[in-house]
Amino acid sequence: MDNYYVAALQSVSGIGSAKIAAMIDYFGSAQQAWQAQKGDLFLCKILDGVTCNNLVVWREQLNVEKLRADWDHKKIHLCSKRDQAYPALLKNIYEAPFLLYYRGSLPTHNSLMALVGARRASAYGKNVAHMLAAQLAEVGYWVVSGAARGIDTASHVGALTRGATIAVLGCGVDICYPRENEKLLRQISEQGAVVSEYMPGTQPHPGFFPARNRIISGMSRGVVVIEAAERSGALITADRALEEGRDVYAVPGSIFSKTSFGTHRLIQQGAKLVQGLKDILQEYELVPSHREKQEQLDADEQQIYQLLSYETPVMLEELAIKTSLTLSSITYIILQLELRGLVVQHGSQSYVRTAKEGIE
């Protein structure tokens, strides 16, 4: 229950993590700090006069029990820096959030890897993100990302096919942003966790996203950057990872693509170039022992599959022109390949191969 009083204290203008920690130490608990007499708040010398008055006025308006009931109804959990469930790696970073709000379940281990990148990602970038996330999840890693469009979304979707993932938001955990990821965020809360340092109900704000990036890198053993322009949030995440002593990886791309400038710069600066899962796991003396099962394709499926690219989306009409198959037959074949995880849609009636081994 004390974490709900931590949340209440955090909602007071002028009270941040450092002051909350000091108040808990002084008064014995967040609840006692919240309920302290005005005179005692002044005497503790942790808050200035204005902040003391803010607290006294605000606690007359905020019903903590009602707040708790509302969050319980929404299945929103709280975890403070002093709780055992708090992510161990995150606890030690500079300016670690004192309180986390989350839906779902937090991991009980430190095998977390962040995958981040451009919102306006190419088919190639999304393909790589989906592949690496799925492979990491299969060997027991939780994939951490920011639930944004592009690389983040592809990473979460890939991880969910084989395991768990964490979405760190720049808004409240009960706010769906971007709107089209509502179903994805619900699935993440069922197979992992949706996390934020911002109180439920907090709307997204541009200033919140750079701050949430420190959580993405802070709870992860390393950060893999997949497509990033010269100035991007993904590079901010990589910078924070370096500051906290985390590993930084980068996936190379086309020299003609603006979204490769950032990743190539990272490689020039010493980030490890990633061409596959093994390049990441070698750093932790863990090499995947699994093999993809062999996918048996019939003649028509093989023909369609070979005409698809890993990078450039191909439209159904193009496939019809290049084969003797009818459009309805091609549509059926594409659907079967999608269900087996061999192709993915990119845009309206355009498809790319997924990066997957073991095709016959």
Side-chain angles (χ1 to χ4, degrees), residues 8-286:
L9 288 169
Q10 270 193 341
S11 69
V12 177
S13 177
I15 300 182
S17 295
K19 290 180 179 178
I20 288 174
M23 292 176 74
I24 291 174
D25 290 339
Y26 183 88
F27 289 104
S29 71
Q31 181 175 357
Q32 288 177 309
W34 175 259
Q35 296 172 342
Q37 296 293 323
K38 185 175 182 179
D40 292 331
L41 290 171
F42 278 103
L43 287 173
C44 78
K45 297 182 179 180
I46 297 169
L47 308 178
D48 59 33
V50 173
T51 306
C52 280
N53 287 326
N54 288 341
L55 171 54
V56 171
V57 171
W58 182 235
R59 70 186 181 187
E60 293 301 318
Q61 303 174 38
L62 183 66
N63 185 323
V64 178
E65 288 290 347
K66 184 178 179 181
L67 198 70
R68 178 185 182 180
D70 180 50
W71 291 347
D72 285 350
H73 178 71
K74 295 179 179 178
K75 298 182 179 179
I76 296 172
H77 310 291
L78 285 70
C79 179
S80 85
K81 199 175 177 182
R82 300 187 176 194
D83 294 335
Q84 189 174 359
Y86 192 94
L89 293 176
L90 181 63
K91 189 176 294 186
N92 299 316
I93 73 165
Y94 177 66
E95 294 185 336
F98 192 87
L99 189 69
L100 292 176
Y101 303 89
Y102 66 97
R103 292 189 294 119
S105 302
L106 294 175
T108 57
H109 54 78
N110 293 328
S111 295
L112 279 69
M113 189 65 58
L115 269 62
V116 297
R119 285 178 170 81
R120 295 181 179 179
S122 68
Y124 161 76
K126 293 178 184 178
N127 209 349
V128 172
H130 188 284
M131 174 194 75
L132 288 176
Q135 292 175 341
L136 282 164
E138 188 168 25
V139 296
Y141 271 77
W142 285 41
V143 172
V144 185
S145 200
R149 299 180 179 93
I151 297 300
D152 288 14
T153 293
S155 299
H156 291 306
V157 172
L160 289 171
T161 64
R162 310 283 180 86
T165 183
I166 297 175
V168 183
L169 306 185
C171 56
V173 295
D174 56 340
I175 303 297
C176 181
Y177 184 81
R179 177 58 59 185
E180 64 264 26
N181 278 353
E182 182 176 3
K183 182 179 178 182
L184 175 62
L185 288 169
R186 184 166 59 250
Q187 189 176 359
I188 291 172
S189 70
E190 295 168 355
Q191 285 183 235
V194 177
V195 176
S196 177
E197 66 178 313
Y198 301 108
M199 183 177 284
T202 303
Q203 294 296 322
H205 184 276
F208 294 160
F209 294 98
R212 72 90 195 262
N213 290 343
R214 82 188 194 286
I215 300 177
I216 293 175
S217 62
M219 62 170 43
S220 306
R221 296 179 71 173
V223 174
V224 184
V225 182
I226 308 167
E227 293 195 327
E230 285 187 290
R231 298 179 183 275
S232 68
L235 297 186
I236 294 174
T237 308
D239 287 342
R240 290 303 300 257
L242 290 171
E243 290 172 6
E244 301 296 342
R246 305 294 195 263
D247 299 313
V248 175
Y249 307 90
V251 175
S254 167
I255 63 172
F256 301 109
S257 172
K258 290 183 178 180
T259 55
S260 295
F261 292 172
T263 50
H264 291 175
R265 181 65 58 82
L266 286 174
I267 293 169
Q268 289 173 334
Q269 294 173 344
K272 183 170 182 180
L273 186 152
V274 171
Q275 297 184 96
L277 179 65
K278 187 180 294 185
D279 295 322
I280 300 171
L281 298 187
Q282 280 176 340
E283 300 297 312
Y284 312 108
E285 298 181 354
L286 177 63

